[in-house]
Amino acid sequence: MTSTRDPHSFAKPDEVVVTHLHLDVTVDFEKQQLGGTATLTLNNKTGSNKLFLDTRDLTIERVTLGKEGPETPSLLGDVVQFLGQALTIDITPQTKEVTIAYHTNPNAAALQWLEPSQTAGGKKPYLFTQSQAILARTWVPCQDGPGVRMTYSARVKTRSDLMAVMSATNPTVKTEDGVYEFSMPQPIPSYLLALAVGDLAFKSTGPRSGVYAEPSMVDKAAWELEDTEKMIEAAESLYGPYRWDRYDVIVLPPSFPFGGMENPRLTFATPTILAGDRSLVSLVAHELAHSWSGNLVTNATWNDFWLNEGFTVYFEHRIMEQVYGRTYAEMLAQLSMQDLQATINDLGSTHPDTHLKLNLGGRDPDEGMTDIAYNKGYFFLRLIEEAVGREKWDAFLKSYFDAFAFKTMTTEGFISYLRENLIRGNKNLEEKIPIDRWVSGPGLPEGAPEVRSGEFGRVEEQLNAWKNGAVAGTLATKDWTTHHWLHFLRNLPSELSPEQMADLDEAFGFSRSGNSEILAAWFPHVIAHSYQPGYTALEKFLMGVGRRKFLKALYTKLAETPEGLERARQIYRKARPGYHSVSYSTIDAILKWEQR
Ligand code: BES
Ligand code: ZN
């Protein structure tokens, strides 16, 4: 265990650490407010008289010692940008529990309160949370840093026509009275606290897996995610037992700002993964992989974010390879390299945010959550695999997850474990794996793994034929999957005539695609070439989908020209109220949007 100071938390877990949380809250859709009590169980290591917690936009009503003991003085500190306010509570060295009566603010950043019109059913409201990275403190007073772990239990009361689910043991049917009880017996960091409330139904997909979704979507979701059990088995065969009992997925309304979020026992997912052909399920492999990399062995601070995401992308690709084959996984790897190169280009190849180990002190940790952690992290681990061979590498990773299960890890801690257990002073390996250059140096180091997918070679042949004048409709694309199309779209020439745009769209129906990834790869061309027939679909997409990755890329592209910026602002004015705060904070900055 480490005692690194977390630059994004007011807590002092070295002195007093919270070991268990009991949440007793009522979900009030009318007031858009979550209110009740949080009882924290303490381990006072140093006999301290103060407990420091993180809060942001919370109203603290009363703090008592024990469950219903005497009231104790508490103080909310000054507001600090991004971090919120420290809550300082007077305790004694003997205090075992404190109970905080509180309620949230309607614009709590972690919470999105949806109108019925933003759901598939259109009749009932919906609430979901997004706690990562430092938003748990906007709905629960807690020690909100990834270096602190606690178990939790909860009692949630809501309308009796809705179901509540959490990152914990979950119901599969609605209760009569709208009261739900939860428990999470494994210790987790606060960023994995999660709650969703809505008109939900459940459908099983395997012995320990299933999906939650609105009733009209649950069959479609269960069909799409049918391979979940196979993925769990593949993951276990690689890196050891799945330690969280069940693995379920909830398919949320389209305003969910991420593709997926690895909330333990219950991955939160965007409905845009429901492509109808199972082609986007690597997202489930990714979130499932976090059950080891991230949820079991957790980055100590957000500066070590690559330990969560880089390992997870690596593990995701291994699961995909095992379930769907090497050819499939190599397409994913080459797309990862393209993403990485694009991000390094955007940031600049000497930018400190292109280091794996980040320095996010004084900034919103969101700023460090770029493709660097994901894909530079992935290629670093792949480099090690290629240098030592799969057999040794897999044994090492398995022992790493085992040795540090339910603990936190720093970048430095991982490197010394790597040196001690795998490199062991071997000069040849030291040379092949320039650790410092990858971890503390910029850009993509020389000698990075090279990926050449044969399938993408076939795509390039067809692309070249088209560039040389072949009509789109005559290209050999019959057996192409989503990933072939992504490679095709990403590698189209930057200059395209109106006739060429129309030729492509008429032959392949990109603007009509029901696949979010294909649309998101097509729209940049639509924008760059002012291709009018594509704009209706673009506007519909921006109005309907809240996934930040897509919105960020498309609004940025629109903002490149004055006309585009004007169009972006018009769309955004209508779309913004439907986005989650995580997404609109990012887009506000891109469009220089002032609340008006
Ligand atoms: N944990 C992340 C999502 C996240 C990162 C939330 C940082 C808040 C801050 C999740 O595992 C993730 O990486 N999601 C990706 C999908 C994945 C397939 C790369 C996403 O949402 O795009
Ligand atoms: Zn992830």
Side-chain angles (χ1 to χ4, degrees):
M1 209 72 86
T2 49
S3 58
T4 3
R5 269 235 86 91
D6 184 331
H8 297 109
S9 173
F10 295 112
K12 298 187 178 170
D14 294 349
E15 297 172 9
V16 188
V17 67
V18 173
T19 58
H20 183 81
L21 157 73
H22 179 73
L23 206 57
D24 189 340
V25 288
T26 300
V27 181
D28 187 336
F29 281 98
E30 309 266 275
K31 288 198 203 146
Q32 305 207 322
Q33 177 178 301
L34 212 66
T37 58
T39 300
L40 307 176
T41 306
L42 310 179
N43 173 9
N44 194 335
K45 301 193 247 183
T46 56
S48 174
N49 291 308
K50 301 270 183 216
L51 168 67
F52 298 92
L53 299 177
D54 294 297
T55 75
R56 190 177 139 197
D57 296 328
L58 291 184
T59 302
I60 306 298
E61 294 156 5
R62 185 170 8 91
V63 184
T64 56
L65 298 179
K67 279 204 180 65
E68 285 160 356
E71 191 162 344
T72 189
S74 67
L75 181 74
L76 273 179
D78 294 339
V79 174
V80 179
Q81 200 186 11
F82 312 125
L83 305 189
Q85 293 169 282
L87 174 63
T88 309
I89 298 174
D90 286 7
I91 56 169
T92 73
Q94 286 72 42
T95 306
K96 291 278 169 292
E97 277 178 344
V98 296
T99 297
I100 302 154
Y102 74 101
H103 61 260
T104 63
N105 179 300
N107 44 27
L111 306 180
Q112 193 177 11
W113 299 90
L114 301 183
E115 298 298 332
S117 62
Q118 292 177 275
T119 68
K123 297 225 160 66
K124 294 177 185 177
Y126 204 109
L127 165 71
F128 66 82
T129 65
Q130 169 56 42
S131 298
Q132 196 182 9
I134 54 169
L135 304 181
R137 65 190 68 177
T138 71
W139 68 288
V140 183
C142 61
Q143 294 184 315
D144 195 15
V148 179
R149 308 182 87 85
M150 62 193 174
T151 52
Y152 83 87
S153 50
R155 180 180 176 277
V156 176
K157 166 125 184 66
T158 183
R159 285 169 33 162
S160 63
D161 59 341
L162 303 178
M163 194 196 290
V165 291
M166 292 189 82
S167 50
T169 53
N170 275 310
T172 54
V173 290
K174 286 177 189 151
T175 59
E176 300 247 299
D177 57 0
V179 174
Y180 295 88
E181 309 236 0
F182 304 91
S183 86
M184 170 42 85
Q186 289 97 340
I188 59 159
S190 57
Y191 77 88
L192 297 175
L193 288 170
L195 168 69
V197 182
D199 183 15
L200 298 176
F202 172 80
K203 189 162 180 179
S204 172
T205 56
R208 53 181 158 170
S209 62
V211 293
Y212 293 85
E214 287 187 64
S216 67
M217 292 175 62
V218 73
D219 286 328
K220 183 173 175 107
W223 184 85
E224 200 91 27
L225 305 184
E226 199 173 74
D227 286 342
T228 303
E229 179 63 28
K230 278 190 210 154
M231 290 185 182
I232 305 172
E233 280 165 15
E236 288 190 308
S237 77
L238 286 164
Y239 302 130
Y242 179 74
R243 305 205 200 204
W244 306 88
D245 190 18
R246 289 195 58 84
Y247 179 77
D248 295 314
V249 176
I250 177 170
V251 177
L252 292 156
S255 67
F256 184 57
F258 292 101
M261 176 64 214
E262 66 272 25
N263 297 315
R265 289 177 191 237
L266 184 63
T267 284
F268 281 28
T270 166
T272 62
I273 57 165
L274 307 181
D277 59 4
R278 297 183 181 152
S279 65
L280 301 180
V281 295
S282 63
L283 187 134
V284 174
H286 179 97
E287 304 313 334
L288 170 66
H290 273 304
S291 308
W292 288 257
S293 42
N295 300 4
L296 201 56
V297 182
T298 308
N299 52 204
T301 73
W302 299 117
N303 290 334
D304 307 296
F305 185 54
W306 79 277
L307 292 178
N308 273 18
E309 297 299 343
F311 278 67
T312 297
V313 172
Y314 178 82
F315 196 174
E316 166 201 337
H317 288 193
R318 293 294 303 276
I319 294 170
M320 293 305 285
E321 176 178 331
Q322 194 143 318
V323 178
Y324 302 101
R326 176 91 182 164
T327 308
Y328 192 142
E330 281 303 272
M331 290 197 280
L332 296 179
Q334 200 170 329
L335 292 170
S336 286
M337 182 55 91
Q338 293 168 5
D339 287 337
L340 175 57
Q341 278 163 342
T343 302
I344 293 174
N345 272 341
D346 286 352
L347 288 169
S349 63
T350 57
H351 197 293
D353 286 351
T354 64
H355 300 193
L356 285 178
K357 171 89 189 187
L358 296 169
N359 186 354
L360 296 168
R363 292 196 280 163
D364 185 338
D366 252 26
E367 282 187 40
M369 313 213 145
T370 69
D371 249 22
I372 298 296
Y374 289 80
N375 291 320
K376 186 175 175 182
Y378 164 69
F379 281 105
F380 178 47
L381 300 180
R382 182 164 162 153
L383 175 78
I384 308 176
E385 178 206 301
E386 289 177 2
V388 304
R390 243 191 203 183
E391 207 177 317
K392 277 198 189 145
W393 172 239
D394 281 351
F396 166 82
L397 269 187
K398 196 168 176 178
S399 75
Y400 169 75
F401 288 129
D402 214 50
F404 299 103
F406 301 108
K407 295 197 166 89
T408 56
M409 182 53 65
T410 59
T411 299
E412 297 73 22
F414 167 68
I415 290 168
S416 38
Y417 191 78
L418 179 72
R419 288 219 153 94
E420 275 159 39
N421 295 282
L422 199 62
I423 297 184
R424 299 168 181 237
N426 181 323
K427 286 273 158 338
N428 180 31
L429 286 180
E430 291 274 8
E431 243 168 67
K432 282 190 183 158
I433 312 167
I435 297 178
D436 290 341
R437 260 196 282 157
W438 278 84
V439 172
S440 325
L444 184 63
E446 243 172 71
E450 280 176 24
V451 194
R452 283 241 16 104
S453 147
E455 287 302 296
F456 285 178
R458 287 174 50 211
V459 170
E460 286 154 30
E461 278 170 24
Q462 297 305 307
L463 190 56
N464 286 332
W466 181 74
K467 287 195 227 165
N468 291 328
V471 177
T474 65
L475 301 181
T477 63
K478 256 207 164 57
D479 59 347
W480 284 11
T481 67
T482 296
H483 302 98
H484 294 85
W485 286 113
L486 291 179
H487 190 62
F488 182 83
L489 286 165
R490 287 175 177 202
N491 288 285
L492 283 173
S494 49
E495 295 298 325
L496 292 168
S497 67
E499 294 72 29
Q500 284 179 308
M501 286 293 291
D503 181 33
L504 292 171
D505 205 14
E506 275 153 29
F508 306 129
F510 294 131
S511 298
R512 284 183 280 113
S513 173
N515 186 302
S516 57
E517 294 284 351
I518 289 179
L519 286 171
W522 168 242
F523 289 141
H525 301 291
V526 168
I527 298 166
H529 303 101
S530 302
Y531 175 64
Q532 293 307 318
Y535 274 114
T536 319
L538 170 63
E539 181 163 344
K540 183 165 163 246
F541 188 83
L542 293 172
M543 289 297 298
V545 175
R547 187 172 173 185
R548 180 170 66 175
K549 176 180 94 162
F550 294 149
L551 299 182
K552 187 177 171 195
L554 295 174
Y555 281 112
T556 303
K557 185 81 193 166
L558 279 167
E560 280 174 4
T561 65
E563 313 82 71
L565 182 60
E566 191 42 43
R567 192 189 280 265
R569 291 216 172 108
Q570 274 170 25
I571 299 174
Y572 191 53
R573 181 166 298 122
K574 289 180 282 171
R576 189 180 184 279
Y579 294 157
H580 188 283
S581 77
V582 157
S583 292
Y584 69 68
S585 316
T586 301
I587 310 305
D588 282 357
I590 294 169
L591 300 183
K592 305 191 176 61
W593 190 262
E594 322 237 314
Q595 278 276 29
R596 51 195 103 182

